[in-house]
Amino acid sequence: MATTNPELTSQPVRAPRSALSEGWKQLRTPLIYLLPALIIMMLITFYPLAFQVWMSFTDYGVIKEEGKQTLNPFGPNGTTPPNYRPAQYVGFRNYLDIVTNNPQFVARLGGNFDFWRLLAFNLWWTFSNVGFHVALGVIIAVLLNVEGLWGRKIYRAIYILPMVLPNIVVATVWRNMFDDQYGSINQLINLLITPFGFDPVQIRWFNQIQDPIPGIGLPLSYYAMLIANIWLGWPFMTIVATGALQSIPKEMYEAASIDGATGLQQFWRITLPLLRPAMVPAAMVGIVTTFNLFHVIYFMSGGGPLGRTEIMVTQAFKLINVNQLYGVAAAFSVIIALVLIPIFLITNKISRATESYDV
Amino acid sequence: MKRLTFSLIALLALFATLLSACGQVTPAAQPTAAPAAPTAAPVQSTTDGMAITGTVTLWHAYGTGSAEEKAINILIDRARAAYPNATINVLQIPFDQIFNKFNNEVSSGGGPDMFIAPNDSLGSQIRAGVLADLSEYQSRLTDVAPTGVAGMSLNGKLYGIPESFKAVALYYNKSKVVNPPATTDELLALVKGGNTLVLNQNAYHNFGWLQAFGGQLMDASGKCIADQAGGAEWFAYLKALKEVPTVTFSTDGGQADSLFKDGKADMIINGPWVLGDYRAVLGDNLGVAPMPGAIKPAGPLTGVDGFYVSINSQNVAGAVALAMFLTSPESMKVYVDEAGHVPVSTKVEISDPLVQAFAQASATGVPRPQIPELDNYWGPFGDAMTKVLDGGADPKAAVTEACALMNTANGK
């Protein structure tokens, strides 16, 4: 069935058929093979997606004022829960509440919600992190790729470490390291400054409201999380860059040095352009992951102080877990997707990452 | 084709298993077709003739390794021994998640039979329709203090079996503080004199000072009026404390506990739920005094811990029987001795002076309002406190802003 198609070999002697039925004949076998995967995808991917979009147009959730739930019509033993009522269509209300910062909606969330500030911070958080990841990743990969470097395998084993530790463990450990009373970071700073006659400091990394750098509207907790996330993110980029470095032919460097190019020129003219096809898709993965990086924000700053380091996913999580507004949270998730898709398309266009690349 | 069919079936079977595994939030409700149990089980006077039958799943939020967890484990072992025919499942949930997890699971048709928690969310849970009405059992609560029953009730209906009172008071280390401060001025003088103090930086632990400075959070209609009197003085006092180097404001409850237990703080304002844990470290050096007052006595929010039954429970009678067992005078004694709980039962003698101090704090506190307007207090006032203490904002402006925000959220 797989090697020779009897339909094709007998085709010339048969009566001509319509293109449509011909197309169906061609498609039938692949479709049958794809069917199991399609059914599974329908159930576990497309159905929840469609359900969430539907949810975003309703008041789905725990409705405290009326003593009614809209969550699940199926109770134990096939009964309907006594407090169930079907969700009601509310049109674009959830979306409008979010993007217009409806004052009552904002007050119900505690007053710290500002959609446009949230979006701006989320984008800044993403690009500042990925920038550091890529730059550090390439630099460290190039340094570790130096000819005749002693102990290379040990270094490469060590830098896998941040990747194999679970994110939640990393975030919690960093949270404790930045603790104002017991944290090792403050202790280290004091160890370094007290011998010079300075008073010991007790920096409140996650609580300080004043911006450490005036004029840049970013709280101290952003910088603390940036440090933690740089530590977490560069090894992946180094692994990708190391792989790409191995594939650059040595002859190119030899030819360049015969032409009199310096080491720096070789880096800018050979190494970087040839790393690009590998680094750009990796950076795009990094952008999408960092944009939705829940653990670091939630377990380190919790979005504080005053919600200034909240990103979209942590806010969406709070909408469900604290406020139990499932419909609003669904609308929020759709907005996240609407933000991410253009970013993806634009980076893809600029980088031509999914096209073939010729040197 | 045969192989294809086989893999399809295998996949579907796998998928069906996954689905059923996901759906099984609660342990399958066992058929309570065991009316023979009451005769088989020894009927104890402690449960007032009610016997624990069938399967009861209980959630609690006592900390891992805490004195409270030890107490409930002792009591559950006793209940299992007394009623061997009943199945009692116990699950611990972190305190910051218990209400949300209960609401979410009960709303989707699952959840436990009952859980124990303070009445922090009683009003909103009743309005969300997740709690069973237990009014028919009210006549059995004969030796419970009336305020305990009131704390479990709303609009004349009973929604929980009360267990203990809770309100915060001032813990102090007797080796460092000889005379506990009676007024806010004395407290300020103490810390300026070198005694150390740690305060939980949130809108709950120091709420009592609002009344101390002559304020009130809401009027009868639920409108925030803290900005009219007391509120600005309350926040100004916190700010004055913050400016003293020996005072630490902590946003992390675990960190605050550690500072007191390690001896790095001589005083802390906290509730009876940590009494057992503090005593384990400080022993006889631990003292408890009412929260210092100012022009009026301090009025901390007084809550009642109790057992609530889920609207989905298939075994309400069994759950209530377990709750009655766990709140019987004998059980209460364990809660008092192990964990320092303040019992709601009038039949339990409190000999421990520290527990007595908490009983007094609970009696003079402000009963926690169960109106929906309180739900919108925590966010704005917690933030206002952060703005004043960490951002140097003006206390009066911060309180005014928080009150306005609370009233906007409540549509007042």
Side-chain angles (χ1 to χ4, degrees), chain B residues 278-302:
Chain B
Y278 285 179
R279 179 146 46 200
V281 181
L282 288 146
D284 291 339
N285 277 333
L286 186 67
V288 177
M291 202 173 160
I295 57 172
K296 278 179 163 186
L301 280 178
T302 302

mmCIF file with all atom_site columns, all heavy atoms in Angstrom, chain B residues 278-302:
data_model
loop_
_atom_site.group_PDB
_atom_site.id
_atom_site.type_symbol
_atom_site.label_atom_id
_atom_site.label_alt_id
_atom_site.label_comp_id
_atom_site.label_asym_id
_atom_site.label_entity_id
_atom_site.label_seq_id
_atom_site.pdbx_PDB_ins_code
_atom_site.Cartn_x
_atom_site.Cartn_y
_atom_site.Cartn_z
_atom_site.occupancy
_atom_site.B_iso_or_equiv
_atom_site.pdbx_formal_charge
_atom_site.auth_seq_id
_atom_site.auth_comp_id
_atom_site.auth_asym_id
_atom_site.auth_atom_id
_atom_site.pdbx_PDB_model_num
ATOM 1   N N   . TYR B 1 278 ? 5.845   29.259 68.700 1.00 0.00 ? 278 TYR B N   1
ATOM 2   C CA  . TYR B 1 278 ? 6.688   30.214 69.416 1.00 0.00 ? 278 TYR B CA  1
ATOM 3   C C   . TYR B 1 278 ? 7.107   29.631 70.760 1.00 0.00 ? 278 TYR B C   1
ATOM 4   O O   . TYR B 1 278 ? 8.245   29.784 71.185 1.00 0.00 ? 278 TYR B O   1
ATOM 5   C CB  . TYR B 1 278 ? 5.936   31.530 69.644 1.00 0.00 ? 278 TYR B CB  1
ATOM 6   C CG  . TYR B 1 278 ? 5.790   32.403 68.419 1.00 0.00 ? 278 TYR B CG  1
ATOM 7   C CD1 . TYR B 1 278 ? 5.119   33.616 68.489 1.00 0.00 ? 278 TYR B CD1 1
ATOM 8   C CD2 . TYR B 1 278 ? 6.334   32.030 67.196 1.00 0.00 ? 278 TYR B CD2 1
ATOM 9   C CE1 . TYR B 1 278 ? 4.971   34.432 67.382 1.00 0.00 ? 278 TYR B CE1 1
ATOM 10  C CE2 . TYR B 1 278 ? 6.183   32.841 66.077 1.00 0.00 ? 278 TYR B CE2 1
ATOM 11  C CZ  . TYR B 1 278 ? 5.501   34.027 66.173 1.00 0.00 ? 278 TYR B CZ  1
ATOM 12  O OH  . TYR B 1 278 ? 5.352   34.844 65.075 1.00 0.00 ? 278 TYR B OH  1
ATOM 13  N N   . ARG B 1 279 ? 6.155   28.963 71.448 1.00 0.00 ? 279 ARG B N   1
ATOM 14  C CA  . ARG B 1 279 ? 6.459   28.441 72.768 1.00 0.00 ? 279 ARG B CA  1
ATOM 15  C C   . ARG B 1 279 ? 7.531   27.344 72.677 1.00 0.00 ? 279 ARG B C   1
ATOM 16  O O   . ARG B 1 279 ? 8.371   27.214 73.557 1.00 0.00 ? 279 ARG B O   1
ATOM 17  C CB  . ARG B 1 279 ? 5.203   27.903 73.433 1.00 0.00 ? 279 ARG B CB  1
ATOM 18  C CG  . ARG B 1 279 ? 5.491   27.321 74.794 1.00 0.00 ? 279 ARG B CG  1
ATOM 19  C CD  . ARG B 1 279 ? 4.395   27.503 75.789 1.00 0.00 ? 279 ARG B CD  1
ATOM 20  N NE  . ARG B 1 279 ? 3.095   27.181 75.236 1.00 0.00 ? 279 ARG B NE  1
ATOM 21  C CZ  . ARG B 1 279 ? 1.967   27.610 75.762 1.00 0.00 ? 279 ARG B CZ  1
ATOM 22  N NH1 . ARG B 1 279 ? 1.973   28.380 76.818 1.00 0.00 ? 279 ARG B NH1 1
ATOM 23  N NH2 . ARG B 1 279 ? 0.819   27.284 75.210 1.00 0.00 ? 279 ARG B NH2 1
ATOM 24  N N   . ALA B 1 280 ? 7.482   26.589 71.583 1.00 0.00 ? 280 ALA B N   1
ATOM 25  C CA  . ALA B 1 280 ? 8.474   25.517 71.416 1.00 0.00 ? 280 ALA B CA  1
ATOM 26  C C   . ALA B 1 280 ? 9.890   26.084 71.397 1.00 0.00 ? 280 ALA B C   1
ATOM 27  O O   . ALA B 1 280 ? 10.839  25.422 71.787 1.00 0.00 ? 280 ALA B O   1
ATOM 28  C CB  . ALA B 1 280 ? 8.190   24.752 70.133 1.00 0.00 ? 280 ALA B CB  1
ATOM 29  N N   . VAL B 1 281 ? 10.040  27.341 70.925 1.00 0.00 ? 281 VAL B N   1
ATOM 30  C CA  . VAL B 1 281 ? 11.369  27.943 70.831 1.00 0.00 ? 281 VAL B CA  1
ATOM 31  C C   . VAL B 1 281 ? 11.694  28.760 72.075 1.00 0.00 ? 281 VAL B C   1
ATOM 32  O O   . VAL B 1 281 ? 12.775  28.645 72.642 1.00 0.00 ? 281 VAL B O   1
ATOM 33  C CB  . VAL B 1 281 ? 11.454  28.838 69.579 1.00 0.00 ? 281 VAL B CB  1
ATOM 34  C CG1 . VAL B 1 281 ? 12.839  29.444 69.463 1.00 0.00 ? 281 VAL B CG1 1
ATOM 35  C CG2 . VAL B 1 281 ? 11.133  28.035 68.334 1.00 0.00 ? 281 VAL B CG2 1
ATOM 36  N N   . LEU B 1 282 ? 10.742  29.587 72.528 1.00 0.00 ? 282 LEU B N   1
ATOM 37  C CA  . LEU B 1 282 ? 11.036  30.539 73.606 1.00 0.00 ? 282 LEU B CA  1
ATOM 38  C C   . LEU B 1 282 ? 10.697  30.019 74.994 1.00 0.00 ? 282 LEU B C   1
ATOM 39  O O   . LEU B 1 282 ? 11.181  30.557 75.991 1.00 0.00 ? 282 LEU B O   1
ATOM 40  C CB  . LEU B 1 282 ? 10.280  31.847 73.347 1.00 0.00 ? 282 LEU B CB  1
ATOM 41  C CG  . LEU B 1 282 ? 10.840  32.664 72.199 1.00 0.00 ? 282 LEU B CG  1
ATOM 42  C CD1 . LEU B 1 282 ? 9.747   33.394 71.469 1.00 0.00 ? 282 LEU B CD1 1
ATOM 43  C CD2 . LEU B 1 282 ? 11.867  33.654 72.694 1.00 0.00 ? 282 LEU B CD2 1
ATOM 44  N N   . GLY B 1 283 ? 9.836   28.998 75.072 1.00 0.00 ? 283 GLY B N   1
ATOM 45  C CA  . GLY B 1 283 ? 9.499   28.418 76.371 1.00 0.00 ? 283 GLY B CA  1
ATOM 46  C C   . GLY B 1 283 ? 8.871   29.434 77.308 1.00 0.00 ? 283 GLY B C   1
ATOM 47  O O   . GLY B 1 283 ? 7.970   30.184 76.925 1.00 0.00 ? 283 GLY B O   1
ATOM 48  N N   . ASP B 1 284 ? 9.399   29.516 78.527 1.00 0.00 ? 284 ASP B N   1
ATOM 49  C CA  . ASP B 1 284 ? 8.809   30.394 79.540 1.00 0.00 ? 284 ASP B CA  1
ATOM 50  C C   . ASP B 1 284 ? 9.075   31.870 79.275 1.00 0.00 ? 284 ASP B C   1
ATOM 51  O O   . ASP B 1 284 ? 8.499   32.735 79.929 1.00 0.00 ? 284 ASP B O   1
ATOM 52  C CB  . ASP B 1 284 ? 9.369   30.029 80.929 1.00 0.00 ? 284 ASP B CB  1
ATOM 53  C CG  . ASP B 1 284 ? 8.861   28.675 81.382 1.00 0.00 ? 284 ASP B CG  1
ATOM 54  O OD1 . ASP B 1 284 ? 7.810   28.246 80.834 1.00 0.00 ? 284 ASP B OD1 1
ATOM 55  O OD2 . ASP B 1 284 ? 9.496   28.042 82.244 1.00 0.00 ? 284 ASP B OD2 1
ATOM 56  N N   . ASN B 1 285 ? 9.962   32.162 78.337 1.00 0.00 ? 285 ASN B N   1
ATOM 57  C CA  . ASN B 1 285 ? 10.250  33.561 78.026 1.00 0.00 ? 285 ASN B CA  1
ATOM 58  C C   . ASN B 1 285 ? 9.168   34.208 77.174 1.00 0.00 ? 285 ASN B C   1
ATOM 59  O O   . ASN B 1 285 ? 9.235   35.397 76.896 1.00 0.00 ? 285 ASN B O   1
ATOM 60  C CB  . ASN B 1 285 ? 11.582  33.673 77.281 1.00 0.00 ? 285 ASN B CB  1
ATOM 61  C CG  . ASN B 1 285 ? 12.743  33.674 78.241 1.00 0.00 ? 285 ASN B CG  1
ATOM 62  O OD1 . ASN B 1 285 ? 12.592  34.074 79.395 1.00 0.00 ? 285 ASN B OD1 1
ATOM 63  N ND2 . ASN B 1 285 ? 13.887  33.221 77.780 1.00 0.00 ? 285 ASN B ND2 1
ATOM 64  N N   . LEU B 1 286 ? 8.188   33.407 76.724 1.00 0.00 ? 286 LEU B N   1
ATOM 65  C CA  . LEU B 1 286 ? 7.168   33.952 75.833 1.00 0.00 ? 286 LEU B CA  1
ATOM 66  C C   . LEU B 1 286 ? 6.060   34.621 76.638 1.00 0.00 ? 286 LEU B C   1
ATOM 67  O O   . LEU B 1 286 ? 5.515   34.043 77.575 1.00 0.00 ? 286 LEU B O   1
ATOM 68  C CB  . LEU B 1 286 ? 6.577   32.820 74.983 1.00 0.00 ? 286 LEU B CB  1
ATOM 69  C CG  . LEU B 1 286 ? 5.602   33.252 73.897 1.00 0.00 ? 286 LEU B CG  1
ATOM 70  C CD1 . LEU B 1 286 ? 6.311   34.043 72.818 1.00 0.00 ? 286 LEU B CD1 1
ATOM 71  C CD2 . LEU B 1 286 ? 4.934   32.036 73.273 1.00 0.00 ? 286 LEU B CD2 1
ATOM 72  N N   . GLY B 1 287 ? 5.741   35.850 76.254 1.00 0.00 ? 287 GLY B N   1
ATOM 73  C CA  . GLY B 1 287 ? 4.634   36.556 76.893 1.00 0.00 ? 287 GLY B CA  1
ATOM 74  C C   . GLY B 1 287 ? 3.661   37.068 75.847 1.00 0.00 ? 287 GLY B C   1
ATOM 75  O O   . GLY B 1 287 ? 4.034   37.293 74.692 1.00 0.00 ? 287 GLY B O   1
ATOM 76  N N   . VAL B 1 288 ? 2.394   37.232 76.234 1.00 0.00 ? 288 VAL B N   1
ATOM 77  C CA  . VAL B 1 288 ? 1.390   37.771 75.319 1.00 0.00 ? 288 VAL B CA  1
ATOM 78  C C   . VAL B 1 288 ? 0.659   38.899 76.025 1.00 0.00 ? 288 VAL B C   1
ATOM 79  O O   . VAL B 1 288 ? 0.259   38.762 77.186 1.00 0.00 ? 288 VAL B O   1
ATOM 80  C CB  . VAL B 1 288 ? 0.362   36.696 74.892 1.00 0.00 ? 288 VAL B CB  1
ATOM 81  C CG1 . VAL B 1 288 ? -0.715  37.313 74.007 1.00 0.00 ? 288 VAL B CG1 1
ATOM 82  C CG2 . VAL B 1 288 ? 1.042   35.558 74.170 1.00 0.00 ? 288 VAL B CG2 1
ATOM 83  N N   . ALA B 1 289 ? 0.508   40.024 75.330 1.00 0.00 ? 289 ALA B N   1
ATOM 84  C CA  . ALA B 1 289 ? -0.224  41.167 75.876 1.00 0.00 ? 289 ALA B CA  1
ATOM 85  C C   . ALA B 1 289 ? -1.172  41.672 74.801 1.00 0.00 ? 289 ALA B C   1
ATOM 86  O O   . ALA B 1 289 ? -0.950  41.421 73.622 1.00 0.00 ? 289 ALA B O   1
ATOM 87  C CB  . ALA B 1 289 ? 0.755   42.266 76.266 1.00 0.00 ? 289 ALA B CB  1
ATOM 88  N N   . PRO B 1 290 ? -2.243  42.373 75.209 1.00 0.00 ? 290 PRO B N   1
ATOM 89  C CA  . PRO B 1 290 ? -3.120  42.930 74.181 1.00 0.00 ? 290 PRO B CA  1
ATOM 90  C C   . PRO B 1 290 ? -2.354  43.911 73.300 1.00 0.00 ? 290 PRO B C   1
ATOM 91  O O   . PRO B 1 290 ? -1.364  44.505 73.731 1.00 0.00 ? 290 PRO B O   1
ATOM 92  C CB  . PRO B 1 290 ? -4.205  43.664 74.981 1.00 0.00 ? 290 PRO B CB  1
ATOM 93  C CG  . PRO B 1 290 ? -4.101  43.145 76.362 1.00 0.00 ? 290 PRO B CG  1
ATOM 94  C CD  . PRO B 1 290 ? -2.698  42.683 76.557 1.00 0.00 ? 290 PRO B CD  1
ATOM 95  N N   . MET B 1 291 ? -2.825  44.067 72.071 1.00 0.00 ? 291 MET B N   1
ATOM 96  C CA  . MET B 1 291 ? -2.223  45.039 71.171 1.00 0.00 ? 291 MET B CA  1
ATOM 97  C C   . MET B 1 291 ? -2.339  46.420 71.824 1.00 0.00 ? 291 MET B C   1
ATOM 98  O O   . MET B 1 291 ? -3.402  46.766 72.337 1.00 0.00 ? 291 MET B O   1
ATOM 99  C CB  . MET B 1 291 ? -3.031  44.984 69.866 1.00 0.00 ? 291 MET B CB  1
ATOM 100 C CG  . MET B 1 291 ? -2.322  45.484 68.673 1.00 0.00 ? 291 MET B CG  1
ATOM 101 S SD  . MET B 1 291 ? -3.363  45.136 67.233 1.00 0.00 ? 291 MET B SD  1
ATOM 102 C CE  . MET B 1 291 ? -2.660  46.298 66.105 1.00 0.00 ? 291 MET B CE  1
ATOM 103 N N   . PRO B 1 292 ? -1.255  47.216 71.840 1.00 0.00 ? 292 PRO B N   1
ATOM 104 C CA  . PRO B 1 292 ? -1.318  48.518 72.516 1.00 0.00 ? 292 PRO B CA  1
ATOM 105 C C   . PRO B 1 292 ? -2.412  49.416 71.944 1.00 0.00 ? 292 PRO B C   1
ATOM 106 O O   . PRO B 1 292 ? -2.619  49.453 70.727 1.00 0.00 ? 292 PRO B O   1
ATOM 107 C CB  . PRO B 1 292 ? 0.065   49.126 72.240 1.00 0.00 ? 292 PRO B CB  1
ATOM 108 C CG  . PRO B 1 292 ? 0.936   47.997 71.872 1.00 0.00 ? 292 PRO B CG  1
ATOM 109 C CD  . PRO B 1 292 ? 0.065   46.967 71.254 1.00 0.00 ? 292 PRO B CD  1
ATOM 110 N N   . GLY B 1 293 ? -3.077  50.144 72.834 1.00 0.00 ? 293 GLY B N   1
ATOM 111 C CA  . GLY B 1 293 ? -4.133  51.056 72.400 1.00 0.00 ? 293 GLY B CA  1
ATOM 112 C C   . GLY B 1 293 ? -3.639  52.486 72.413 1.00 0.00 ? 293 GLY B C   1
ATOM 113 O O   . GLY B 1 293 ? -2.517  52.770 72.820 1.00 0.00 ? 293 GLY B O   1
ATOM 114 N N   . ALA B 1 294 ? -4.493  53.407 71.958 1.00 0.00 ? 294 ALA B N   1
ATOM 115 C CA  . ALA B 1 294 ? -4.147  54.826 71.998 1.00 0.00 ? 294 ALA B CA  1
ATOM 116 C C   . ALA B 1 294 ? -5.269  55.577 72.706 1.00 0.00 ? 294 ALA B C   1
ATOM 117 O O   . ALA B 1 294 ? -5.457  55.406 73.901 1.00 0.00 ? 294 ALA B O   1
ATOM 118 C CB  . ALA B 1 294 ? -3.896  55.361 70.598 1.00 0.00 ? 294 ALA B CB  1
ATOM 119 N N   . ILE B 1 295 ? -6.065  56.358 71.961 1.00 0.00 ? 295 ILE B N   1
ATOM 120 C CA  . ILE B 1 295 ? -7.177  57.025 72.623 1.00 0.00 ? 295 ILE B CA  1
ATOM 121 C C   . ILE B 1 295 ? -8.289  56.033 72.928 1.00 0.00 ? 295 ILE B C   1
ATOM 122 O O   . ILE B 1 295 ? -9.144  56.278 73.759 1.00 0.00 ? 295 ILE B O   1
ATOM 123 C CB  . ILE B 1 295 ? -7.706  58.212 71.778 1.00 0.00 ? 295 ILE B CB  1
ATOM 124 C CG1 . ILE B 1 295 ? -8.119  57.748 70.381 1.00 0.00 ? 295 ILE B CG1 1
ATOM 125 C CG2 . ILE B 1 295 ? -6.682  59.327 71.705 1.00 0.00 ? 295 ILE B CG2 1
ATOM 126 C CD1 . ILE B 1 295 ? -8.830  58.821 69.575 1.00 0.00 ? 295 ILE B CD1 1
ATOM 127 N N   . LYS B 1 296 ? -8.281  54.894 72.269 1.00 0.00 ? 296 LYS B N   1
ATOM 128 C CA  . LYS B 1 296 ? -9.224  53.811 72.538 1.00 0.00 ? 296 LYS B CA  1
ATOM 129 C C   . LYS B 1 296 ? -8.416  52.525 72.589 1.00 0.00 ? 296 LYS B C   1
ATOM 130 O O   . LYS B 1 296 ? -7.289  52.486 72.102 1.00 0.00 ? 296 LYS B O   1
ATOM 131 C CB  . LYS B 1 296 ? -10.243 53.703 71.397 1.00 0.00 ? 296 LYS B CB  1
ATOM 132 C CG  . LYS B 1 296 ? -11.413 54.661 71.441 1.00 0.00 ? 296 LYS B CG  1
ATOM 133 C CD  . LYS B 1 296 ? -12.254 54.390 70.218 1.00 0.00 ? 296 LYS B CD  1
ATOM 134 C CE  . LYS B 1 296 ? -13.644 54.969 70.341 1.00 0.00 ? 296 LYS B CE  1
ATOM 135 N NZ  . LYS B 1 296 ? -14.452 54.554 69.183 1.00 0.00 ? 296 LYS B NZ  1
ATOM 136 N N   . PRO B 1 297 ? -8.961  51.441 73.126 1.00 0.00 ? 297 PRO B N   1
ATOM 137 C CA  . PRO B 1 297 ? -8.249  50.159 73.016 1.00 0.00 ? 297 PRO B CA  1
ATOM 138 C C   . PRO B 1 297 ? -8.152  49.744 71.544 1.00 0.00 ? 297 PRO B C   1
ATOM 139 O O   . PRO B 1 297 ? -9.000  50.116 70.732 1.00 0.00 ? 297 PRO B O   1
ATOM 140 C CB  . PRO B 1 297 ? -9.133  49.177 73.795 1.00 0.00 ? 297 PRO B CB  1
ATOM 141 C CG  . PRO B 1 297 ? -10.114 50.004 74.542 1.00 0.00 ? 297 PRO B CG  1
ATOM 142 C CD  . PRO B 1 297 ? -10.234 51.305 73.834 1.00 0.00 ? 297 PRO B CD  1
ATOM 143 N N   . ALA B 1 298 ? -7.102  48.990 71.216 1.00 0.00 ? 298 ALA B N   1
ATOM 144 C CA  . ALA B 1 298 ? -6.957  48.516 69.841 1.00 0.00 ? 298 ALA B CA  1
ATOM 145 C C   . ALA B 1 298 ? -8.082  47.533 69.517 1.00 0.00 ? 298 ALA B C   1
ATOM 146 O O   . ALA B 1 298 ? -8.571  46.831 70.402 1.00 0.00 ? 298 ALA B O   1
ATOM 147 C CB  . ALA B 1 298 ? -5.615  47.835 69.658 1.00 0.00 ? 298 ALA B CB  1
ATOM 148 N N   . GLY B 1 299 ? -8.488  47.510 68.263 1.00 0.00 ? 299 GLY B N   1
ATOM 149 C CA  . GLY B 1 299 ? -9.585  46.622 67.864 1.00 0.00 ? 299 GLY B CA  1
ATOM 150 C C   . GLY B 1 299 ? -9.191  45.717 66.717 1.00 0.00 ? 299 GLY B C   1
ATOM 151 O O   . GLY B 1 299 ? -9.584  45.944 65.579 1.00 0.00 ? 299 GLY B O   1
ATOM 152 N N   . PRO B 1 300 ? -8.388  44.674 66.996 1.00 0.00 ? 300 PRO B N   1
ATOM 153 C CA  . PRO B 1 300 ? -8.025  43.763 65.895 1.00 0.00 ? 300 PRO B CA  1
ATOM 154 C C   . PRO B 1 300 ? -9.252  43.024 65.368 1.00 0.00 ? 300 PRO B C   1
ATOM 155 O O   . PRO B 1 300 ? -10.222 42.833 66.106 1.00 0.00 ? 300 PRO B O   1
ATOM 156 C CB  . PRO B 1 300 ? -7.039  42.798 66.548 1.00 0.00 ? 300 PRO B CB  1
ATOM 157 C CG  . PRO B 1 300 ? -7.343  42.844 68.003 1.00 0.00 ? 300 PRO B CG  1
ATOM 158 C CD  . PRO B 1 300 ? -7.838  44.229 68.283 1.00 0.00 ? 300 PRO B CD  1
ATOM 159 N N   . LEU B 1 301 ? -9.210  42.634 64.110 1.00 0.00 ? 301 LEU B N   1
ATOM 160 C CA  . LEU B 1 301 ? -10.317 41.869 63.535 1.00 0.00 ? 301 LEU B CA  1
ATOM 161 C C   . LEU B 1 301 ? -10.399 40.525 64.249 1.00 0.00 ? 301 LEU B C   1
ATOM 162 O O   . LEU B 1 301 ? -9.413  39.805 64.345 1.00 0.00 ? 301 LEU B O   1
ATOM 163 C CB  . LEU B 1 301 ? -10.083 41.624 62.041 1.00 0.00 ? 301 LEU B CB  1
ATOM 164 C CG  . LEU B 1 301 ? -10.397 42.762 61.081 1.00 0.00 ? 301 LEU B CG  1
ATOM 165 C CD1 . LEU B 1 301 ? -10.055 42.336 59.664 1.00 0.00 ? 301 LEU B CD1 1
ATOM 166 C CD2 . LEU B 1 301 ? -11.852 43.172 61.175 1.00 0.00 ? 301 LEU B CD2 1
ATOM 167 N N   . THR B 1 302 ? -11.571 40.209 64.773 1.00 0.00 ? 302 THR B N   1
ATOM 168 C CA  . THR B 1 302 ? -11.750 38.938 65.452 1.00 0.00 ? 302 THR B CA  1
ATOM 169 C C   . THR B 1 302 ? -12.424 37.958 64.503 1.00 0.00 ? 302 THR B C   1
ATOM 170 O O   . THR B 1 302 ? -13.475 38.254 63.942 1.00 0.00 ? 302 THR B O   1
ATOM 171 C CB  . THR B 1 302 ? -12.632 39.110 66.694 1.00 0.00 ? 302 THR B CB  1
ATOM 172 O OG1 . THR B 1 302 ? -12.022 40.060 67.537 1.00 0.00 ? 302 THR B OG1 1
ATOM 173 C CG2 . THR B 1 302 ? -12.773 37.807 67.429 1.00 0.00 ? 302 THR B CG2 1
#
